[in-house]
Amino acid sequence: MYDKTKIKGPCEEKDCLICKHSNKMTRKCRIPSIVYQITCIECEKKKVKSKYYGETHFNSYTRGVQHQNNYRSKSKKTQEKSALRQHAIKVHNDKKVSYKMEIIKTFKNNPLARQVLESVHIINSKNEDDHPMNSKKEFNQALVVTAKFTKGIF
């Protein structure tokens, strides 16, 4: 099988949110199972912190294209579910907005750890970002509880 992650330089896909805005000479956009952030470039230019955090078992190119398709959708229902489109409507008067995507961390065979890290970033963004893009529903998700069992208790 041909491994696109081993090729030097950014990919040539015009709709790749990773490579389009990266100077790095590695092709990270094809690595699956990631936690990522999407940043509003217009806000960033104004020194305003506006980020969306997500996780996926897909690679970042595929997930980025899904986000862009939802952003450009003509369906009102899809637009309402698109965090990027809702950000453009609420913060930029529904003007066309550009975004970039960065991988925070990659995971191999550990979906729970991937989901926990995404949750941590979403919760932190609520307090740190000027315009957090994750929906309020995501802020109110159940917190992860851990238990430590000590030998000999039972």
Side-chain angles (χ1 to χ4, degrees):
M1 189 171 149
Y2 180 61
D3 186 355
K4 291 184 177 183
T5 63
K6 301 293 183 199
I7 301 171
K8 296 276 187 216
C11 78
E12 296 174 8
E13 304 288 348
K14 290 181 177 156
D15 54 355
C16 182
L17 289 178
I18 293 270
C19 294
K20 187 165 53 171
H21 301 285
S22 177
N23 332 348
K24 295 181 182 171
M25 294 311 294
T26 57
R27 193 172 293 203
K28 302 265 185 197
C29 64
R30 304 298 177 173
I31 298 171
S33 195
I34 59 165
V35 172
Y36 62 91
Q37 70 181 22
I38 296 177
T39 304
C40 174
I41 294 173
E42 298 0 294
C43 286
E44 188 175 57
K45 287 177 186 172
K46 297 174 184 173
K47 306 260 189 262
V48 174
K49 200 169 176 186
S50 296
K51 296 180 188 269
Y52 173 86
Y53 295 95
E55 62 86 19
T56 182
H57 68 280
F58 294 117
N59 63 49
S60 59
Y61 170 74
T62 301
R63 189 65 184 114
V65 168
Q66 290 171 339
H67 275 293
Q68 290 176 88
N69 288 341
N70 291 342
Y71 174 83
R72 293 189 294 257
S73 176
K74 302 290 183 213
S75 162
K76 286 282 186 197
K77 193 173 188 177
T78 303
Q79 288 177 11
E80 288 171 5
K81 292 180 183 176
S82 169
L84 306 186
R85 184 59 183 262
Q86 289 304 306
H87 173 77
I89 291 168
K90 292 174 185 168
V91 179
H92 301 288
N93 241 0
D94 206 13
K95 292 181 181 153
K96 187 176 181 203
V97 180
S98 297
Y99 296 96
K100 68 179 181 180
M101 185 176 194
E102 297 168 272
I103 296 172
I104 295 171
K105 185 165 176 55
T106 59
F107 291 85
K108 289 184 182 175
N109 304 321
N110 197 342
L112 180 60
R114 190 178 70 225
Q115 292 164 355
V116 169
L117 183 61
E118 176 206 28
S119 296
V120 169
H121 280 283
I122 290 170
I123 291 166
N124 288 343
S125 74
K126 183 179 177 182
N127 298 320
E128 297 171 3
D129 287 9
D130 299 306
H131 298 290
M133 287 190 261
N134 291 84
S135 72
K136 298 230 184 301
K137 293 175 193 164
E138 291 170 300
F139 291 135
N140 296 322
Q141 60 188 310
L143 296 175
V144 177
V145 177
T146 59
K148 183 177 180 180
F149 295 98
T150 309
K151 197 175 185 181
I153 291 179
F154 300 117

